[in-house]
Amino acid sequence: MKFYFSLFFILSSILLMAQCPNLVWADEFEGNNLDGSKWSHQTGDGCPNLCGWGNNELQWYKRENTVVEDGKLKIIAKREQAGDKNYTSSRIRSINKGDWKYGRFEASIKLPKGQGIWPAFWMLPTDEVYGGWPQSGEIDIVEMIGKEPATAHGTIHFGNAWPNNRSSGAAYELLEGILNDEFHEFAIEWEENEIRWFVDDYLYATKNRSDVAPARWPFDQDFHFLLNVAVGGNWPGSPNTSTPFPQNMEVEYVRVYDGFSTYITGKREVAALSENLVYTVHNTSENATIDWKVPEGVQILEGQGTPDLRVNWGTVSGEIEVEITDDCGKQNIVLEVAAGSAIARDFSFENFDETARVQLNFTSGDFEDEANNPDTEGINASNLVGKYKRNAAALFDIIVYQINDLGNVFEYINGTKKFYLDLYTDAPIGTTVLLQLEDSRLVQSDNYPRGRHSRFEVTTSKQNEWERFEFQFKDRPDVNVSNTRVDQFVLLFASNTNSGDTFIFDNFDSYAPVNVSTKEIAPLSDSIFQIAPNPANNYITLNNLSSKFIKDWQILDYSGNLILIIDRPLAPKETIKTNFLLPNGTYILQAVGKKGILESQKLIVKK
């Protein structure tokens, strides 16, 4: 069996991007017994070779804690004595019965919850050709710690033998509810140089050889599945009196495909009134028919009928849906999108026109502070910018800034706050820029990932033209660094390359939610007034579309500060000059009635 599947995947690896992936192995958990041709049990506490299973876990694994019934596998954790342990559970694996290299690997699972509970669906190498753990690698398709029941973790382990082992991972958090409420599909797509993680067909993490460098990429050998529920251990901590028992991890199916699925990428969480959002459907054929559907209040700018959709978001949450019809048939993919408060510039770390909040400590390349802006007609009209020529001899070229008053960075991790950067570069389209947050007291040149709190990234889509980027959270290389200990920013332009390109940047800013409540901003179909033109130049015309009495009009900036008030009733259609009243920018215009605000709309002034 092992030889057959290994040979199959070697021969088919060239075709992994085939449009219609084939199911090559599955367990749907029918019947009343675990299929012994696909799974084997691991029992006990790991002793004598791996006591506590390497993590100081508190359970004793028993065969009896694995049950197959009603079309589901149940792995049950109990508070009971076995061996010298006070808890029991179960752990099964597919070694020498299901072993693969490359493909799509997925399972539909309802995860247990509670302090000290640690369920996992993961993979280990069948033959440790590069040495013992983690030198031959580990792939965690999903792990969850019970005290954080809405968060799934995907991770790879690699590097030298413990305690010099390394890992790299990312987390996915449900927009609402917890992972115990219903079944979710957890998957990876694994090819020669890259592994991608999905929850319910949403891509939330990607790891490739550059994330492992300079260590070996061990993910080029056969791996097998493991399913287990641990109790206690170094990561989740021990159960307490609030932890209910028994705990069940329920699995509807485990499946292996020789190709990859169709899926959407794009933001799951957006600020109200966000502009130029891009959603892309991947792995469709050239002759596919594509039909996008968006929530009311979302404006499609371009891309209907193509794989790439560009929209302006409204003010309410909703679903982006795409229907694809191709040689594989018809399928619908739905992405839930949560709309939060509008965000705006909170403060600037460095913009070269004002006193910086950060201090430049070190650069690998040539840095010109306060250079002239090459294009003041673009989205960045500032006179002064930073100009940086990358050192082509430095594989990991860096710019290091010191910051002493950042406070707690958790809000940047969970997306409440954002890092922004304006960039103009002659580097090729698709160049990556990394922002790394560090505790400088722990960082040394040769001890990666120690001290590296988190990484954020953007990818260029233009050349020799300004782009404004919102950094996306990538991962946390060193999860032991406290959220309150970050005192250093590192910018890495075209990391892990020998590029000598020039990167001009400006407006390295922090964005935060504004004080205007999105509940006051009505959907377009319910609007009681119209602004024209919008964006405005030197004037706006306000057209009252309803019979409601509007006592006055208020204009606020995106921090909620009142800029202008027109404290008189206007004619049903009246023109107001804005050329001297409002500078360029984005505002909220509110119609106020006798009992308060009737409606708010976004107003853009662009002269």
Side-chain angles (χ1 to χ4, degrees):
M1 177 74 75
K2 172 187 168 184
F3 173 77
Y4 169 80
F5 279 116
S6 298
L7 179 61
F8 181 88
F9 272 81
I10 290 171
L11 293 176
S12 64
S13 61
I14 318 173
L15 304 174
L16 280 175
M17 294 305 292
Q19 184 58 38
C20 304
N22 299 298
L23 180 67
V24 298
W25 188 95
D27 196 339
E28 306 291 332
F29 302 108
E30 299 171 344
N32 298 311
N33 296 293
L34 187 69
D35 189 341
S37 70
K38 297 178 178 177
W39 303 99
S40 301
H41 287 274
Q42 288 184 282
T43 58
D45 62 355
C47 290
N49 298 322
L50 197 63
C51 291
W53 299 99
N55 300 299
N56 294 313
E57 296 167 24
L58 304 178
Q59 80 288 331
W60 184 277
Y61 285 132
K62 297 169 55 179
R63 299 171 63 94
E64 295 83 354
N65 290 44
T66 299
V67 174
V68 177
E69 61 184 12
D70 300 325
K72 298 178 182 65
L73 165 73
K74 295 181 181 179
I75 293 180
I76 307 169
K78 302 178 180 180
R79 192 193 302 271
E80 64 177 3
Q81 282 197 322
D84 61 347
K85 303 296 183 181
N86 293 322
Y87 303 93
T88 63
S89 187
S90 186
R91 170 165 158 157
I92 60 174
R93 58 180 180 168
S94 67
I95 189 168
N96 295 320
K97 299 177 180 180
D99 311 85
W100 310 274
K101 180 175 71 172
Y102 312 144
R104 178 178 170 89
F105 306 88
E106 65 184 33
S108 176
I109 308 175
K110 183 188 290 187
L111 294 168
K113 63 178 180 178
Q115 168 62 38
I117 303 301
W118 185 5
F121 171 46
W122 50 305
M123 303 182 79
L124 283 175
T126 299
D127 302 303
E128 295 184 325
V129 298
Y130 301 125
W133 187 90
Q135 296 170 93
S136 293
E138 173 183 326
I139 306 171
D140 299 322
I141 301 175
V142 61
E143 292 181 285
M144 189 197 81
I145 56 174
K147 65 182 178 182
E148 299 174 359
T151 303
H153 298 268
T155 312
I156 51 175
H157 296 263
F158 54 92
N160 297 322
W162 184 89
N164 298 312
N165 53 298
R166 291 174 54 191
S167 65
S168 183
Y172 173 97
E173 186 171 357
L174 293 179
L175 296 177
E176 59 180 26
I178 61 175
L179 294 164
N180 183 249
D181 289 340
E182 57 187 358
F183 286 89
H184 294 272
E185 187 180 83
F186 305 96
I188 61 165
E189 293 185 348
W190 171 24
E191 52 186 323
E192 183 178 2
N193 297 308
E194 186 173 279
I195 303 172
R196 298 177 290 277
W197 280 259
F198 299 82
V199 175
D200 298 330
D201 285 325
Y202 179 78
L203 173 68
Y204 74 94
T206 301
K207 299 296 176 184
N208 52 44
R209 288 181 182 269
S210 65
D211 295 299
V212 168
R216 178 196 303 274
W217 174 261
F219 309 105
D220 55 4
Q221 304 294 321
D222 281 355
F223 277 60
H224 60 273
F225 288 135
L226 296 96
L227 283 160
N228 71 289
V229 178
V231 180
N234 299 334
W235 189 20
S238 299
N240 57 29
T241 56
S242 71
T243 308
F245 284 95
Q247 291 276 350
N248 291 337
M249 178 167 80
E250 298 184 55
V251 186
E252 288 186 308
Y253 58 78
V254 179
R255 296 171 183 165
V256 180
Y257 293 87
D258 63 359
F260 302 146
S261 68
T262 303
Y263 61 93
I264 300 176
T265 56
K267 292 182 180 180
R268 290 192 310 136
E269 297 179 86
V270 302
L273 307 175
S274 294
E275 298 178 337
N276 291 307
L277 300 175
V278 176
Y279 292 90
T280 301
V281 60
H282 299 261
N283 293 343
T284 61
S285 62
E286 291 184 2
N287 64 348
T289 301
I290 299 172
D291 181 34
W292 293 93
K293 297 177 182 178
V294 299
E296 186 177 2
V298 175
Q299 177 189 9
I300 295 179
L301 301 176
E302 61 181 8
Q304 179 61 278
T306 76
D308 299 294
L309 183 75
R310 189 164 65 90
V311 302
N312 286 342
W313 202 264
T315 61
V316 296
S317 303
E319 295 179 345
I320 291 280
E321 181 179 356
V322 61
E323 181 181 274
I324 306 112
T325 305
D326 57 19
D327 296 337
C328 299
K330 181 182 289 187
Q331 58 180 317
N332 283 72
I333 304 174
V334 175
L335 177 63
E336 294 279 352
V337 180
S341 301
I343 63 172
R345 179 182 177 273
D346 188 22
F347 60 86
S348 183
F349 296 108
E350 171 66 284
N351 64 20
F352 305 102
D353 293 302
E354 304 172 352
T355 302
R357 190 164 174 171
V358 294
Q359 177 183 344
L360 182 66
N361 276 3
F362 175 80
T363 67
S364 304
D366 296 326
F367 183 51
E368 182 182 349
D369 197 2
E370 298 184 357
N372 291 324
N373 185 347
D375 180 17
T376 56
E377 299 300 317
I379 62 170
N380 179 17
S382 301
N383 292 320
L384 300 178
V385 296
K387 184 176 182 180
Y388 185 72
K389 183 171 178 56
R390 197 184 183 284
N391 180 359
L395 195 62
F396 296 96
D397 178 284
I398 59 175
I399 300 177
V400 182
Y401 282 107
Q402 194 75 21
I403 181 164
N404 299 316
D405 60 348
L406 189 56
N408 192 322
V409 300
F410 177 72
E411 289 181 298
Y412 295 100
I413 300 296
N414 69 15
T416 304
K417 293 184 178 180
K418 302 284 187 179
F419 295 108
Y420 272 72
L421 184 74
D422 289 355
L423 186 66
Y424 182 109
T425 179
D426 58 2
I429 291 172
T431 297
T432 298
V433 179
L434 287 173
L435 170 63
Q436 190 162 274
L437 277 57
E438 299 183 344
D439 180 349
S440 64
R441 291 150 288 204
L442 301 176
V443 171
Q444 299 175 18
S445 60
D446 59 349
N447 71 340
Y448 185 92
R450 191 163 187 259
R452 280 76 175 187
H453 176 276
S454 52
R455 296 190 299 172
F456 302 77
E457 68 178 356
V458 297
T459 303
T460 63
S461 62
K462 298 179 181 179
Q463 191 175 35
N464 295 321
E465 184 178 347
W466 281 109
E467 286 188 87
R468 177 157 296 156
F469 289 106
E470 175 191 302
F471 277 99
Q472 301 299 311
F473 173 69
K474 179 177 175 66
D475 57 17
R476 289 200 59 184
D478 187 350
V479 296
N480 295 313
V481 177
S482 167
N483 291 328
T484 60
R485 295 279 289 181
V486 171
D487 65 350
Q488 188 163 278
F489 289 144
V490 178
L491 283 169
L492 299 95
F493 295 109
S495 181
N496 200 23
T497 74
N498 290 112
S499 158
D501 295 315
T502 298
F503 295 85
I504 299 170
F505 64 98
D506 196 11
N507 298 323
F508 177 26
D509 295 335
S510 173
Y511 274 57
V514 300
N515 295 330
V516 178
S517 170
T518 58
K519 293 180 179 179
E520 298 169 356
I521 303 174
L524 297 180
S525 63
D526 297 333
S527 294
I528 66 169
F529 69 91
Q530 180 186 56
I531 308 170
N534 194 5
N537 190 344
N538 294 317
Y539 69 92
I540 56 172
T541 297
L542 297 177
N543 185 8
N544 189 347
L545 304 175
S546 75
S547 59
K548 293 183 179 180
F549 174 74
I550 300 176
K551 181 172 67 74
D552 55 48
W553 301 82
Q554 299 177 359
I555 298 178
L556 297 82
D557 66 17
Y558 252 44
S559 294
N561 301 308
L562 185 63
I563 302 298
L564 177 67
I565 184 168
I566 304 171
D567 55 354
R568 62 178 176 84
L570 298 180
K573 190 173 183 178
E574 186 164 336
T575 298
I576 302 168
K577 292 183 178 180
T578 59
N579 53 340
F580 298 114
L581 299 175
L582 300 173
N584 287 350
T586 303
Y587 302 89
I588 297 293
L589 193 152
Q590 297 182 152
V592 183
K594 292 180 179 179
K595 296 183 179 180
I597 297 169
L598 298 172
E599 182 182 336
S600 299
Q601 289 188 32
K602 180 170 66 172
L603 166 65
I604 300 172
V605 176
K606 189 176 182 181
K607 302 169 187 175

